[in-house]
Amino acid sequence: MNNVRVMRKFKPGFFDGDVLFFAANRMSAEDRKSRLNVSFWQPFIGGHVDVHAIESTHGNLMTDASHVARIGRVLADRLETPSGIEISEAGVAE
């Protein structure tokens, strides 16, 4: 499979910002042993990793409408109020 070949050769660069990460929380014991921990990415990120756990398997994360809706709500909220920007009571970005 090409995606496995590409994944094995990938060398991540450094990203100076925050990362919004959606994690599939429902894993078999075998998956827990073989999947990378999200903290693996921290040395490559200048900001923090904001993890949103979704009660789903990795395979169903983007195929189950309820999971996609939850991810969409989180993304919409984040895009409405980006990190590092404070909104005053009057609704003005400061």
Side-chain angles (χ1 to χ4, degrees), residues 22-86:
F22 295 93
N25 236 14
R26 206 177 296 157
M27 286 187 260
S28 66
E30 187 61 34
D31 279 348
R32 289 189 195 284
K33 290 180 198 172
S34 64
R35 297 216 183 247
L36 292 175
N37 187 307
V38 70
S39 64
F40 167 81
W41 291 106
Q42 194 60 63
F44 304 100
I45 298 167
H48 74 280
V49 180
D50 185 6
V51 179
H52 286 269
I54 307 289
E55 196 57 40
S56 172
T57 63
H58 181 78
N60 287 339
L61 201 56
M62 296 304 291
T63 59
D64 183 305
S66 65
H67 303 322
V68 174
R70 180 166 176 211
I71 291 168
R73 284 190 300 274
V74 171
L75 288 172
D77 287 347
R78 181 59 59 91
L79 291 171
E80 200 170 283
T81 310
S83 61
I85 297 176
E86 295 188 27

